[in-house]
Amino acid sequence: MGTIEENLQEVRKEIPAHVTLVAVSKTKPNDAILEAYEFGERIFGENRVQELADKWEALPKDIEWHMIGHLQSNKVKYIAPFVSLIHAVDKDKLLYEIDKEAKKNNRVIRVLLQFHIADEDTKFGLSLDEAEELLESERFRELKNIEVAGVMGMATFTEDENQVRKEFQTLKSIFDKLKSAYFSSTASFKDISMGMSGDYRIAIEEGSTMVRIGSSIFGTRN
Ligand SMILES: *Cc1c(COP(=O)(O)O)cnc(C)c1O
């Protein structure tokens, strides 16, 4: 592995202009984030509420912070004042809570709906049926302080490239279905967050618009 700068440069070479890079800085110290920041990176992803809030406090205010991990409803309030995108909305109840806290903070919070595409029961996410039920509900239509910006998913952790590719294709087709059924005139529903260090090249080939890359930039985590 090179320095953070060298790694970032390598990763950026692989990412086309229409794909957003989220630099996943979880467990990494602030000086590592600042190194990436100095090299132009402004979008960072974290998966723990406390760590995210601490880093937001300590680091430059023009950073866009993405919450990429599983989020409990009772912790939304700690990130609602500043979070720029919540990737992993996997329950209607969580969405209502985000709306409520966004309203208190006088803002609109962008979210992605997380889908279960992997062949592992440990990963969180909605099924297509659950998402349709949510999006068709009266209550959903009344939410004014969230903006559903797209979908997110994680592929199975496997060497089987075909399986990973198929799972990404599933997420792309879910995105297309939701787009045409519910968001055809909503320009802001546009993102497919899929792809991590091990599989982002496949994800991009299968239509990803947002990749979440940690270890290929910052090195392995403990
Ligand atoms: C940690 C994490 C990533 C980044 O993983 P790497 O393999 O280090 O690139 C991406 N997405 C989520 C949801 C994560 O928790």
Side-chain angles (χ1 to χ4, degrees), residues 27-121:
T27 79
K28 299 296 176 181
N30 291 346
D31 55 354
I33 296 174
L34 280 174
E35 222 177 303
Y37 179 90
E38 271 147 33
F39 202 57
E41 201 47 42
R42 290 294 179 275
I43 305 178
F44 293 91
E46 290 283 334
N47 71 340
R48 287 179 196 279
V49 165
Q50 187 63 54
E51 187 177 347
L52 175 53
D54 290 347
K55 285 175 172 172
W56 169 70
E57 286 248 348
L59 290 163
K61 288 298 174 282
D62 62 341
I63 289 177
E64 271 185 46
W65 291 103
H66 289 199
M67 175 62 189
I68 62 168
H70 182 63
L71 178 59
Q72 288 173 305
S73 295
N74 62 355
K75 295 194 173 164
V76 173
K77 58 178 178 282
Y78 301 114
I79 59 171
F82 66 88
V83 70
S84 142
L85 181 65
I86 295 176
H87 284 237
V89 172
D90 62 347
K91 280 196 194 70
D92 49 3
K93 190 174 154 251
L94 175 60
L95 196 62
Y96 306 148
E97 186 65 20
I98 295 168
D99 184 73
K100 190 180 100 191
E101 292 298 328
K103 188 170 184 175
K104 278 191 202 161
N105 285 279
N106 229 328
R107 56 189 301 250
V108 172
I109 296 182
R110 296 168 65 242
V111 304
L112 303 175
L113 301 178
Q114 180 179 15
F115 286 88
H116 188 283
I117 53 170
D119 186 22
E120 295 163 0
D121 351 304

Side-chain angles (χ1 to χ4, degrees), residues 22-28 45-47 67-70 87-88 114 152-154 157 193 195-200 211-221:
V22 179
V24 176
S25 49
K26 62 188 186 195
T27 79
K28 299 296 176 181
E46 290 283 334
N47 71 340
M67 175 62 189
I68 62 168
H70 182 63
H87 284 237
Q114 180 179 15
M152 178 268 202
M154 288 168 84
F157 189 69
S193 167
M196 312 179 13
S197 292
D199 57 19
Y200 71 90
V211 290
R212 310 175 308 268
I213 299 180
S215 42
S216 289
I217 297 172
F218 294 107
T220 52
R221 292 176 297 272

